[in-house]
Amino acid sequence: MSSFKALRIHQADKGVDPRLEDITLDDLAEGSVELRCAWSGINFKDALGITGKGKIARKFPLVAGIDVSGTVEASEDPRYKPGQKVLVTGWGLGETHDGGFAERARVRGDWVVPLPDELDLRRAMLVGTAGFTAAMALVRMEQNGQRPDQGPVVMTGASGGVGSFATRLFSRAGYNVTAVTGKADAAEYLKGLGASAILDPADVDYGKRPLEKAQWAGAVDALGSETLTWLTRTVQPFGTIAAIGNAQGIELNTSVLPFILRGVSLVGIDSVYCPPSLRLQIWERAAQLLREEDFNAICHSELTLDDVPQACADLMDRKVRGRMLVRLSGEH
Ligand SMILES: NC(=O)c1ccc[n+]([C@@H]2O[C@H](COP(=O)([O-])OP(=O)(O)OC[C@H]3O[C@@H](n4cnc5c(N)ncnc54)[C@H](OP(=O)(O)O)[C@@H]3O)[C@@H](O)[C@H]2O)c1
């Protein structure tokens, strides 16, 4: 049986040990659809797992990578045929099931998303979990009544993968976007993605009262902690906040007042176990809104598997803006 390259996480005495290895299909977890992998991308969760800053891998050794796009090589699932282009994000890839940082993958049929017509295999991974999650925020906020004419929406952690796509998708959908970024040099980048205003977190008055001056029609939050608390205090009546991330921290110290006196909604976003029907709807919405120049603007770099550990360290050190792609076969 021929071997292929995979970046696997091994358990170490202290933390984890990521190794680029030659493995065979026999080493992969069970699944009904076998893929020839084309591209993956690096998400916050990948960086936590590979640097050992977060406990992401739940078994060892495990192929890392929570996202993958590729071509079906073989399928026991009648819904998929050899040669078909597909993508998979979440569902425990790179956490409980061998993931996308490898030249081959084997996944369950229920996890597979046929590639939307507007995307190719590379663009699908530029979107990846980060962009899918941002698009999920848009879809779920709109399901909850959010509309562009209500006023400005605010994106936090805006220069990151989720924040970049959130800025781009909401502005393409007609919203007036304020982007919050701690990177002094990211203003032009975010304006290029459609932000009409940039806010430095150092200039934010987080307030102390349960309700502060209402300034945002809605919010997409990648940070949690003090930032999400501030958003609950400052979103306007009947606005929606999408809680996506915890880059700043997991705690949320707020009160019930925004919810019972302003009708604010806090919508939870879980990209990993998003049900298949909603998943398809979200991918279609993202694919329809994004344009050629958006992919070019958000692409930070194209890496090989060897580059992934250093790239993950850079992401953790907040040195990256946009999305880093990982080339596997490189097929489009
Ligand atoms: N719910 C879900 O399904 C889901 C899916 C994907 C991601 N997430 C979560 O969403 C968050 C963002 O993911 P991502 O892939 O966009 O990561 P990323 O590319 O690293 O972006 C995170 C951004 O947050 C800001 N940031 C990072 N550390 C911070 C800190 N300690 N304090 C304040 N701001 C900080 C930085 O933005 P600036 O430099 O611009 O301020 C950074 O670029 C993560 O917590 C991730 O786990 C959740």
Side-chain angles (χ1 to χ4, degrees):
M1 182 174 286
S2 59
S3 65
F4 56 88
K5 297 244 172 284
L7 184 65
R8 291 206 298 183
I9 308 272
H10 291 259
Q11 197 157 27
D13 288 345
K14 284 183 184 162
V16 293
D17 177 19
R19 291 185 214 155
L20 188 57
E21 299 177 305
D22 289 311
I23 63 170
T24 69
L25 284 175
D26 284 346
D27 296 311
L28 290 183
E30 289 299 310
S32 53
V33 184
E34 188 194 316
L35 304 181
R36 191 169 69 246
C37 305
W39 297 89
S40 185
I42 299 182
N43 293 281
F44 196 82
K45 196 181 260 179
D46 295 312
L48 283 175
I50 284 178
T51 58
K53 293 202 167 143
K55 199 169 172 223
I56 303 300
R58 299 286 159 176
K59 60 179 205 139
F60 300 98
L62 185 78
V63 179
I66 68 170
D67 293 345
V68 72
S69 69
T71 305
V72 175
E73 188 80 9
S75 176
E76 292 162 15
D77 187 316
R79 291 172 292 181
Y80 304 103
K81 301 272 174 291
Q84 190 174 352
K85 292 180 177 181
V86 300
L87 65 94
V88 186
T89 63
W91 294 115
L93 278 198
E95 298 187 66
T96 53
H97 190 97
D98 288 304
F101 291 162
E103 292 168 336
R104 290 279 189 281
R106 195 159 50 199
V107 297
R108 295 200 190 144
D110 287 344
W111 301 349
V112 173
V113 175
L115 193 69
D117 289 341
E118 298 84 350
L119 297 178
D120 62 19
L121 293 170
R122 181 178 174 278
R123 287 177 178 179
M125 286 298 102
L126 259 173
V127 178
T129 284
F132 172 76
T133 305
M136 189 175 184
L138 175 64
V139 169
R140 294 211 65 205
M141 286 170 70
E142 291 193 337
Q143 284 174 341
N144 198 47
Q146 194 78 46
R147 294 288 174 267
D149 60 12
Q150 289 170 307
V153 291
V154 63
M155 311 291 149
T156 66
S159 76
V162 170
S164 294
F165 270 105
T167 300
R168 186 65 281 181
L169 287 165
F170 276 76
S171 58
R172 285 269 180 246
Y175 290 82
N176 179 310
V177 173
T178 294
V180 183
T181 181
K183 291 189 185 76
D185 59 355
E188 285 314 305
Y189 166 73
L190 289 164
K191 284 186 179 161
L193 296 180
S196 48
I198 308 294
L199 194 53
D200 182 336
D203 297 332
V204 170
D205 177 1
Y206 289 88
K208 287 201 168 60
R209 296 175 299 175
L211 298 173
E212 298 287 354
K213 184 175 172 233
Q215 15 178 351
W216 314 112
V220 176
D221 180 51
L223 303 185
S225 191
E226 192 186 12
T227 301
L228 182 54
T229 303
W230 165 64
L231 294 172
T232 64
R233 293 174 175 147
T234 53
V235 163
Q236 292 165 13
F238 292 92
T240 302
I241 303 166
I244 287 184
N246 60 352
Q248 190 173 24
I250 61 165
E251 64 283 355
L252 171 60
N253 299 312
T254 189
S255 74
V256 298
L257 296 192
F259 311 111
I260 65 174
L261 296 184
R262 286 183 176 165
V264 167
S265 297
L266 186 57
V267 169
I269 302 296
D270 172 16
S271 63
V272 178
Y273 295 108
C274 172
S277 58
L278 179 59
R279 202 174 272 263
L280 279 176
Q281 188 188 335
I282 292 166
W283 274 106
E284 291 299 338
R285 186 84 199 277
Q288 283 159 11
L289 283 172
L290 293 167
R291 302 194 192 146
E292 168 86 37
E293 64 262 33
D294 301 340
F295 296 100
N296 298 334
I298 291 176
C299 183
H300 173 275
S301 47
E302 265 186 35
L303 312 173
T304 62
L305 284 173
D306 310 71
D307 304 322
V308 170
Q310 181 58 50
C312 287
D314 290 345
L315 193 100
M316 286 285 95
D317 290 342
R318 294 176 72 174
K319 290 181 183 160
V320 179
R321 71 179 186 213
R323 293 269 297 151
M324 295 184 285
L325 275 169
V326 181
R327 173 189 282 267
L328 299 163
S329 76
E331 190 188 345
H332 286 236

